């Protein structure tokens, strides 16, 4: 019996579960498990309560000060964040002072930094608390989308800290052990190249994939190679959903209702997730009408027909109704969030990409800073990237308006945006002096063909170009990389342009992708719009895709993470 891609990806959950239960197995007796809040959903994604009970976990607590665990053996599961570790140490010291004879263990994800060992000694807990690393494998969130669920953006681009990069490298190494070695590898960006070196080192020390197993290609890209895709407003159903609904490891929460975004169990979601938003609501409306007709037909059923309907169809119909209600409500939330503003917003974004109407764009950004700060900062960052920077005369009015409207605690934010590469300051506005001036970003975008052919209209309902995810204004870089790698033979010039790009490297067999399975990894987070764009290419090219990253992010999440950094 052949092992399918689905079987191989399902093995990752089993590996993660095995790592945890092996630790639990060596800690004797009944134990309490105290989990940092942000890890609750992650843990739930690869191990259930039944398995935990089987390995001696008596009670499970969400970590909070003043907890009252009951068992002598107590296990704390926390991230490697120093504040989280110190909070756990404080709780452990408090418990030890009140109840002698307790045994404490800390599982630190994904690794134990040297500073945590120093912290352990400073708290006088060396020899009293055992520290163990826990590194789970990629978590499957939506079909063949895999996420580490450990955002690297702020660490890599603001703090310039790559200490979590080995955790992503280890996950990719495990994925290769499960799937095989790639016949062709392409990396774009310094972090991507570091990642491949780490994986090569792991091959030497831990073992390499079996030569019997292989897949077509591995494409790795730094997030910094395409900030634009994170800043533009998404227009696919799933992209817009992520802007208005909290999505956590595939669980979407809208008000008091919650649903699992699983295309194998939610056929409504499977059908609309990658559609352009203008086509998503009509699809949902058609399904709702069909469901209503089915319920009306039920009224005239005879007894035997009713019995058959109840036994075979009613449960499925009830579930479909619940799914439809959620997705229609999500559409309404997206419409309410943008309403009539979308056309203006899309027009401004297109002008920024084309380096046109600069004064109007700046005026729009300034007018919206009070009501939509994140959106305005995304647009301003987009303007800076597309035109190789903004001047002090452009940044100061916006900074002043933002601080007046939202508080002076945000003074460091613009510095953080600049440190992360989202903003750059230039001494003068070259556009005023050189009307035909082209930014470096524009030149690079044209070289990689990120702007669709204007002579070919974009069909948003039956798209053939991945730019449909931005209503035809821009093709995400990761989708274009996939396109170029898949078309090496038919379009060798595009491939040559790509490999001559600064920061690009490749190895392996050039030519048609074989086997037709491609693993894509974005270092620093991937967006739902990029996922939808890549799925379109997957469908049209007849390949199988596995999309991986440290997390799934949005432009607003980037702004918020920098605010909190």
């Amino acid at each position: 019996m052949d092992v399918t891609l689905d079987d191989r990806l399902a093995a990752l959950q089993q590996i993660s579960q095995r790592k945890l239960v092996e630790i639990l197995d060596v800690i004797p007796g009944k134990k309490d498990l105290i989990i940092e809040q942000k890890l609750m959903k992650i843990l739930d994604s690869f191990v259930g309560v039944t398995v935990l009970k089987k390995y001696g976990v008596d009670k499970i607590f969400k970590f909070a000060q003043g907890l009252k665990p009951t068992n002598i053996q107590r296990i704390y599961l926390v991230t490697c964040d120093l504040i989280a570790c110190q909070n756990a140490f404080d709780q452990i010291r408090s418990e030890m002072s009140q109840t002698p004879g307790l045994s404490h263990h800390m599982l630190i994800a994904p690794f134990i930094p040297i500073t945590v060992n120093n912290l352990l000694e400073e708290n006088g807990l060396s020899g009293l608390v055992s520290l163990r690393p826990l590194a789970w494998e990629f978590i499957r969130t939506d079909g063949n989308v895999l996420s580490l669920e450990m955002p690297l953006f702020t660490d890599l681009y603001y703090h310039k800290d790559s200490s979590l990069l080995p955790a992503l490298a280890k996950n990719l190494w495990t994925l290769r052990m499960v799937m095989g070695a790639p016949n062709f590898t392409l990396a774009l960006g310094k972090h991507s190249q570091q990642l491949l070196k780490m994986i090569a080192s792991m091959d030497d020390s831990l073992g390499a994939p079996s030569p019997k197993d292989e897949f077509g290609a591995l494409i790795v890209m730094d997030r910094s190679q395409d900030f634009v895709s994170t800043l533009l407003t998404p227009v696919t159903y799933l992209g817009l959903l992520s802007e208005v609904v909290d999505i956590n490891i595939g669980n979407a929460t809208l008000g008091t209702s919650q649903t699992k975004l699983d295309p194998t169990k939610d056929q409504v979601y499977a059908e609309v997730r990658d559609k352009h938003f203008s086509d998503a609501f009509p699809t949902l409306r058609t399904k709702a009408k069909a469901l209503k007709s089915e319920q009306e037909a039920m009224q005239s059923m005879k007894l035997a027909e009713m019995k058959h309907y109840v036994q075979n169809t009613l449960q499925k119909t009830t579930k479909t109704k619940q799914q439809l209600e959620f997705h229609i409500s999500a559409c309404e939330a997206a419409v309410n969030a943008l309403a009539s503003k979308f056309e203006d917003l899309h027009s401004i974004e297109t002008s920024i990409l084309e380096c046109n109407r600069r004064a109007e764009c700046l005026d729009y950004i300034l007018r919206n800073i009070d009501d939509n700060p994140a959106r305005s900062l995304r647009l301003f960052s987009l303007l800076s990237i597309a035109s190789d920077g903004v001047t002090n005369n452009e940044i100061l009015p916006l900074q002043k308006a933002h601080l007046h409207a939202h508080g002076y605690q945000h003074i460091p934010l613009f510095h953080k945006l600049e440190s992360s590469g989202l903003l750059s300051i230039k001494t003068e506005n070259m556009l005023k002096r050189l009307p035909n001036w082209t930014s470096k970003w524009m030149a690079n975008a044209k070289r990689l063909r990120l702007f669709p052919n204007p002579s070919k209209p974009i069909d948003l309902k039956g798209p053939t170009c991945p730019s449909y995810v931005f209503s035809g204004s821009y093709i995400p870089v990761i989708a274009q990389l996939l396109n170029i790698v898949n078309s090496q033979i038919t379009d060798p010039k595009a491939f040559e342009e790509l490999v001559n790009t600064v920061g690009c490297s490749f190895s392996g067999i050039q030519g048609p992708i074989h086997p037709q399975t491609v693993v894509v990894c974005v270092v620093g987070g991937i967006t739902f719009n990029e996922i939808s764009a890549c799925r379109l290419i997957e469908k049209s090219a007849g390949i199988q895709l596995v999309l991986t990253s440290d997390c799934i992010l949005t432009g607003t999440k980037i702004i918020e993470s920098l605010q909190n950094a």
Side-chain angles (χ1 to χ4, degrees):
M1 184 178 175
D2 290 337
V3 180
T4 66
L5 177 62
D6 196 65
D7 294 331
R8 293 178 189 276
L9 298 183
L12 296 174
Q13 178 186 349
Q14 298 168 26
I15 295 169
S16 296
Q17 185 178 114
R18 190 67 201 159
K19 285 181 177 182
L20 176 61
V21 300
E22 282 178 353
I23 295 171
L24 296 176
D25 206 25
V26 298
I27 299 173
K30 286 187 175 182
K31 36 209 168 259
D32 290 330
L33 182 59
I34 301 104
I35 309 167
E36 186 181 343
Q37 183 174 355
K38 67 168 75 171
L39 299 181
M40 297 285 282
K41 288 276 188 189
I42 294 173
L43 191 70
D44 190 48
S45 70
F46 64 82
V47 66
V49 174
T50 305
V51 174
L52 293 174
K53 296 280 186 186
K54 181 181 175 182
Y55 285 89
V57 175
D58 184 33
K59 293 181 181 177
I60 301 170
F61 300 88
K62 180 172 73 176
F63 179 77
Q65 296 296 333
L67 276 176
K68 301 293 182 185
T70 55
N71 289 290
I72 292 174
Q73 298 281 8
R74 298 178 183 181
I75 304 171
Y76 283 80
L77 174 56
V78 297
T79 58
C80 60
D81 176 71
L82 291 183
I83 295 174
C85 290
Q86 182 58 57
N87 288 338
F89 289 147
D90 289 342
Q91 177 71 16
I92 289 170
R93 283 193 292 117
S94 173
E95 290 174 8
M96 285 181 167
S97 65
Q98 295 172 24
T99 313
L102 297 176
S103 181
H104 288 94
H105 313 265
M106 274 183 66
L107 308 186
I108 300 176
F111 71 102
I112 305 172
I114 294 172
T115 46
V116 171
N117 281 305
N118 296 337
L119 208 59
L120 184 74
E121 291 184 12
E122 289 172 12
N123 280 271
L125 296 173
S126 184
L128 300 175
V129 177
S130 65
L131 303 182
R132 303 168 193 264
L134 176 66
W136 54 81
E137 302 303 331
F138 279 125
I139 296 167
R140 204 169 176 181
T141 62
D142 184 348
N144 291 350
V145 178
L146 307 177
S147 171
L148 179 60
E149 290 302 312
M150 196 159 286
L152 297 182
F153 185 93
T154 305
D155 283 351
L156 292 178
Y157 297 113
Y158 174 56
H159 294 301
K160 317 300 179 189
D161 176 9
S162 57
S163 59
L164 286 173
L165 206 56
L168 183 59
K170 183 69 186 297
N171 276 33
L172 277 173
W173 176 84
T174 304
L175 184 62
R176 286 166 71 256
M177 294 299 286
V178 168
M179 291 184 59
N183 289 323
F184 177 85
T185 301
L186 182 135
L188 183 61
K190 68 173 186 178
H191 295 306
S192 297
Q193 296 191 22
Q194 286 174 358
L195 201 69
L196 294 182
K197 288 178 183 177
M198 291 174 187
I199 293 171
S201 176
M202 290 173 193
D203 282 346
D204 293 337
S205 59
L206 301 174
S210 166
K212 295 179 183 178
D213 296 320
E214 60 182 13
F215 62 93
L218 170 64
I219 301 171
V220 190
M221 183 191 85
D222 283 16
R223 179 72 277 164
S224 59
Q225 296 294 322
D226 186 18
F227 284 143
V228 169
S229 288
T230 68
L231 299 171
L232 288 170
T233 303
V235 290
T236 59
Y237 170 73
L238 184 52
L240 269 179
L241 187 70
S242 68
E243 295 281 325
V244 297
V245 170
D246 179 40
I247 301 177
N248 186 4
I249 315 184
N251 293 288
T253 304
L254 180 62
T256 57
S257 59
Q258 188 179 77
T259 193
K260 178 75 174 173
L261 299 178
D262 184 345
T264 62
K265 296 176 182 176
D266 185 344
Q267 292 305 309
V268 175
Y269 171 68
E271 190 168 339
V272 300
R273 65 179 181 178
D274 298 319
K275 284 185 179 291
H276 190 275
F277 192 74
S278 63
D279 193 33
F281 191 71
T283 303
L284 293 172
R285 186 170 52 204
T286 302
K287 284 188 168 292
K289 285 181 179 178
L291 193 63
K292 185 179 179 182
S293 299
E294 182 182 314
Q295 290 174 330
E296 287 173 352
M298 189 177 68
Q299 304 299 322
S300 58
M301 285 181 183
K302 294 179 181 179
L303 187 61
E305 291 174 326
M306 179 68 78
K307 182 180 178 182
H308 182 270
Y309 178 82
V310 170
Q311 288 176 341
N312 299 286
T313 312
L314 182 59
Q315 188 175 359
K316 183 181 177 182
T317 301
T318 303
K319 195 170 185 180
T320 301
K321 182 183 177 185
Q322 292 171 345
Q323 292 165 352
L324 266 173
E325 284 175 352
F326 179 88
H327 293 297
I328 289 172
S329 296
C331 274
E332 289 172 347
V335 168
N336 291 336
L338 289 175
S340 59
K341 303 170 188 172
F342 177 72
E343 286 188 11
D344 289 342
L345 178 60
H346 179 64
S347 173
I348 290 295
E349 288 179 342
T350 303
S351 295
I352 289 174
L353 293 178
E354 295 172 350
C355 294
N356 291 330
R357 300 164 56 208
R358 190 178 185 89
E360 288 179 52
C361 293
L362 285 166
D363 181 62
Y364 180 91
I365 293 167
L366 194 59
R367 280 189 285 109
N368 283 274
I369 195 69
D370 286 11
D371 297 331
N372 297 290
R375 187 183 300 162
S376 289
L377 291 173
R378 284 166 64 170
L379 287 171
F380 196 61
S381 297
L382 184 66
L383 179 71
S384 174
I385 291 166
S387 58
D388 293 343
V390 289
T391 65
N392 276 319
N393 288 338
E394 292 168 337
I395 197 171
L396 289 175
L398 185 71
Q399 189 174 23
K400 184 178 179 181
H402 183 262
L403 295 178
H404 278 314
H406 305 289
Y408 282 80
Q409 69 271 22
H410 295 299
I411 285 176
L413 179 57
F414 284 80
H415 166 71
K416 292 175 181 178
L417 291 169
E418 186 180 351
S419 297
S420 302
L422 294 171
L423 281 185
S424 60
I425 298 173
K426 56 185 181 182
T427 53
E428 59 180 324
N429 188 344
M430 295 297 291
L431 290 172
K432 289 182 178 178
R433 288 205 309 126
L434 303 172
N436 297 322
W437 171 83
T438 300
S439 68
K440 290 179 183 177
W441 177 84
M442 175 73 79
N444 188 58
K446 286 180 177 178
R447 187 171 65 253
L448 291 178
R449 306 177 190 178
L450 302 182
F451 299 117
N453 189 339
S455 64
K456 294 181 180 179
I458 303 295
D459 183 357
L460 299 178
K461 293 188 177 182
T464 55
C465 176
S467 67
Y468 88 97
V469 300
F470 295 121
S471 291
S473 60
Y474 179 78
I475 299 172
V477 173
I478 192 62
Q480 192 68 332
L481 295 187
L482 178 60
N483 227 346
I484 292 170
V485 169
N486 188 55
S487 309
Q488 294 176 53
I489 301 301
T490 55
D491 193 355
K493 186 178 178 182
F495 182 75
E496 186 180 343
E497 289 276 10
L498 171 61
V499 297
N500 289 331
T501 302
V502 176
C504 184
S505 65
F506 73 95
S507 61
I509 305 167
Q510 287 182 250
I513 293 175
H514 183 77
Q516 288 188 304
T517 304
V518 181
V519 175
V520 169
C521 179
V522 181
V523 183
I526 191 169
T527 68
F528 283 116
N529 261 22
E530 289 171 312
I531 290 169
S532 294
C534 288
R535 281 187 184 135
L536 179 68
I537 297 169
E538 175 185 34
K539 187 177 178 181
S540 61
I543 58 178
Q544 277 188 308
L545 266 187
V546 179
L547 296 154
T548 70
S549 188
D550 48 280
C551 72
I552 299 173
L553 84 172
T554 65
T556 299
K557 283 184 179 177
I558 289 175
I559 301 297
E560 289 173 352
S561 69
L562 289 173
Q563 281 177 336
N564 299 326

